[in-house]
Amino acid sequence: QVQLVESGGGSVQAGGSLRLSCVASGLTFSNYGMSWVRQAPGKGLEWVSGIDSVGTKGYSASVKGRFTISRDNAKNTLYLQLNNLKTEDTAMYYCSNSFRGPQYGGSQGQGTQVTVSS
């Protein structure tokens, strides 16, 4: 079955950077659109960014210009570079094997926590 394992989260100050990784198994990774979604405490799941099988990328308005999604098909790995972090970026971050997120038929991993302090 599909397994997605996220890592790279942590606690940083506002303005800092992190790089999240998601290693996928149980699927032909290069065939799938992938995405990052996040869930802040007390809030619903929010789509952050997606990348399709040919490399087309999309970002939510709240992260565009600060976050960069990428993939390495040889390593079955999805990345999210988070720059200029803000306190409102604090959330659990999940990857999914669906461009629009797990709500659209993809699986999701267990998540990695990002905490941004002022």
Side-chain angles (χ1 to χ4, degrees), residues 1-57:
Q1 76 257 22
V2 175
Q3 187 172 14
L4 304 169
V5 180
E6 302 95 336
S7 63
S11 296
V12 297
Q13 289 193 320
S17 298
L18 287 170
R19 188 193 196 201
L20 308 184
S21 300
C22 168
V23 178
S25 60
L27 76 169
T28 304
F29 181 76
S30 60
N31 289 351
Y32 281 81
M34 300 292 295
S35 62
W36 289 96
V37 297
R38 67 186 181 185
Q39 188 165 26
K43 297 190 177 180
L45 212 56
E46 175 192 11
W47 181 83
V48 173
S49 181
I51 182 169
D52 69 11
S53 60
V54 296
T56 303
K57 303 174 185 181

Side-chain angles (χ1 to χ4, degrees), residues 11-114:
S11 296
V12 297
Q13 289 193 320
S17 298
L18 287 170
R19 188 193 196 201
L20 308 184
S21 300
C22 168
V23 178
S25 60
L27 76 169
T28 304
F29 181 76
S30 60
N31 289 351
Y32 281 81
M34 300 292 295
S35 62
W36 289 96
V37 297
R38 67 186 181 185
Q39 188 165 26
K43 297 190 177 180
L45 212 56
E46 175 192 11
W47 181 83
V48 173
S49 181
I51 182 169
D52 69 11
S53 60
V54 296
T56 303
K57 303 174 185 181
Y59 299 94
S60 68
S62 62
V63 307
K64 195 170 185 178
R66 300 188 298 120
F67 292 6
T68 303
I69 193 170
S70 62
R71 65 190 299 161
D72 185 337
N73 290 338
K75 296 182 178 180
N76 282 8
T77 302
L78 177 72
Y79 301 100
L80 187 68
Q81 178 68 41
L82 292 67
N83 293 333
N84 191 21
L85 282 160
K86 303 177 180 181
T87 55
E88 53 263 42
D89 295 319
T90 294
M92 185 72 78
Y93 285 71
Y94 303 91
C95 69
S96 175
N97 60 320
S98 169
F99 183 87
R100 295 302 302 177
Q103 311 96 311
Y104 294 86
S107 300
Q108 72 178 58
Q110 84 291 344
T112 187
Q113 177 68 38
V114 172

